[in-house]
Amino acid sequence: MNPQQEQQLEASVRRELDALGELTAPPALANRILQAVGQRAVVPWYRRAWPTWPLSLRLASLVGLLGASAGLGFGAWELANTLAGQDSVSRWLTDASALWRVLGVLGDIVRTSFSRLDSKILGAGFALMFATGVACVGLGSACVRLALRPALNRIES
Amino acid sequence: MTDAQQFETFLHNYQHMVFSTAMRLTANQSEAEDITQEVFLRAYERFAQLQHSPTVGGWLKTVATNLSLNHLARYRSRWTFFSEVFRNAENDSDEVADFPATDDTHQTLAATDRRALVEQALQSLPAPQRVPLVLHHFEELGYEEIAEKLGVSLGKVKTDIFRGREALRRKLHLKLKEEESG
């Protein structure tokens, strides 16, 4: 299609679309909206979105939130300082380093075992793991697809 | 007039505009109704500022457009993976708004019937073509703005709009001047 034809296409489609005007909303929609508005109007302020709270409450909640954040930050800082000097914390750090050493030894054992295994056995093991993973993804996809079918029909209708 | 009455008048004045925007973007009546309701609930929350604002129409359109696009994005990410293939297969068909293609079709069809057919043809377009076309023609957004809003490239917007126009031309049997003379 050359540029001239493209312009003609745009103009003719625009002519059709310009002639459309507004769609008419279903007659029941206005009542439905007014009902929803009425229900929302009787909801107490604390169950409404924050921007719709009265100004004084919004300011008070903001001050309260800032105070709580500052208090939490200060409390955490003080707690960390207090704990750092206690024996229980240093004991905990010693236990953690011992655990880390044990994990390191276990890692060495696994690495040594793998290095002594035949490469064919290793390959077969990895292939089996991969096949199991693929099977899980396939089954999961099929389940999700089945689960989504009703929603899909609703949207398409 | 009480606030409730003023809001009711406001609702009656703008409901068709908001519904049209949502309906043309989503192409689904129940979703368009939900979006229209949400737009007016948001308008109600700030009605004190909105009711005297000269830009209230623009505000309502923008909120309706954004909610519709959010809805489409959320809905797409939920089920596109499994349904895109079927949807595309359905949309490949151009039979939705088809009607006898005589030379004087445009003259003989009543204007309302014609509008209904164009509306139906528009709504039968796949979302990637319909949404940019609606944003361009009805919301009067430029290509760059559409690309930004939809998070796609400028080239894709141009291509999708062209394809959308071309699909509409086929569905409505619009003839270009050169085709008519040829």
Side-chain angles (χ1 to χ4, degrees):
Chain A
M1 187 175 278
N2 62 43
Q4 198 183 352
Q5 283 178 316
E6 217 169 296
Q7 282 178 353
Q8 283 177 23
L9 172 66
E10 181 178 354
S12 61
V13 168
R14 182 171 287 281
R15 210 167 32 246
E16 295 288 343
L17 296 182
D18 284 348
L20 286 179
E22 283 179 355
L23 291 168
T24 307
L29 183 59
N31 282 338
R32 179 183 144 183
I33 293 171
L34 288 173
Q35 274 183 352
V37 165
Q39 284 169 356
R40 186 162 287 196
V42 297
V43 171
W45 63 267
Y46 53 85
R47 295 188 66 184
R48 282 190 246 151
W50 186 80
T52 64
W53 289 10
L55 184 63
S56 56
L57 289 169
R58 267 187 288 167
L59 286 174
S61 64
L62 203 60
V63 170
L65 197 66
L66 286 173
S69 304
L72 274 175
F74 181 72
W77 175 258
E78 283 296 309
L79 189 68
N81 282 341
T82 310
L83 287 177
Q86 286 185 356
D87 287 345
S88 60
V89 176
S90 57
R91 272 202 305 276
W92 184 85
L93 286 173
T94 311
D95 290 347
S97 65
L99 184 65
W100 180 249
R101 276 198 299 277
V102 170
L103 287 174
V105 171
L106 285 174
D108 286 343
I109 291 170
V110 171
R111 198 167 54 239
T112 310
S113 307
F114 268 97
S115 65
R116 291 187 179 185
L117 275 177
D118 185 20
S119 61
K120 285 180 185 170
I121 294 175
L122 274 177
F126 281 123
L128 184 66
M129 281 168 61
F130 180 74
T132 310
V134 169
C136 284
V137 170
L139 279 172
S141 300
C143 290
V144 172
R145 187 169 172 172
L146 282 173
L148 282 181
R149 287 301 289 184
L152 185 61
N153 292 338
R154 183 183 65 76
I155 290 162
E156 292 288 336
S157 62
Chain B
M1 196 185 275
T2 63
D3 278 356
Q5 287 169 327
Q6 283 178 345
F7 185 77
E8 199 171 336
T9 309
F10 170 80
L11 170 63
H12 282 113
N13 286 343
Y14 290 105
Q15 61 169 335
H16 303 302
M17 183 196 77
V18 173
F19 177 76
S20 299
T21 302
M23 183 68 197
R24 285 180 179 141
L25 284 170
T26 62
N28 182 300
Q29 181 162 335
S30 66
E31 285 160 13
E33 288 180 22
D34 290 347
I35 289 166
T36 306
Q37 177 172 322
E38 183 58 32
V39 171
F40 280 104
L41 284 174
R42 290 188 184 192
Y44 179 76
E45 285 170 358
R46 60 194 73 192
F47 188 53
Q49 297 111 55
L50 281 179
Q51 64 178 327
H52 302 302
S53 167
T55 59
V56 63
W59 186 88
L60 288 168
K61 264 200 163 195
T62 304
V63 175
T65 302
N66 290 341
L67 284 177
S68 302
L69 294 180
N70 287 346
H71 174 85
L72 285 170
R74 192 165 54 234
Y75 154 82
R76 188 172 55 211
S77 63
R78 273 188 195 165
W79 64 273
T80 297
F81 178 68
F82 297 104
S83 61
E84 195 65 42
V85 176
F86 305 113
R87 189 171 177 82
N88 285 344
E90 283 167 16
N91 288 326
D92 284 343
S93 160
D94 281 346
E95 301 304 316
V96 182
D98 211 354
F99 56 93
T102 57
D103 285 338
D104 57 352
T105 299
H106 203 279
Q107 287 79 28
T108 53
L109 271 176
T112 48
D113 290 344
R114 178 75 187 170
R115 281 200 292 272
L117 283 169
V118 176
E119 199 70 61
Q120 194 188 350
L122 181 66
Q123 287 176 20
S124 70
L125 292 180
Q129 292 172 13
R130 186 186 66 250
V131 172
L133 195 61
V134 167
L135 291 175
H136 185 62
H137 281 279
F138 293 100
E139 310 307 320
E140 293 172 353
L141 297 185
Y143 290 155
E144 287 89 356
E145 286 175 286
I146 296 170
E148 197 179 332
K149 252 189 191 307
L150 300 180
V152 296
S153 68
L154 185 60
K156 177 163 169 51
V157 169
K158 287 180 180 174
T159 306
D160 285 342
I161 288 180
F162 173 75
R163 285 182 181 159
R165 284 179 184 142
E166 187 59 22
L168 275 184
R169 183 180 74 86
R170 284 199 307 273
K171 286 169 190 284
L172 299 170
H173 298 278
L174 299 176
K175 288 194 173 178
L176 304 180
K177 280 176 191 167
E178 289 178 16
E179 289 174 339
E180 281 170 352
S181 59

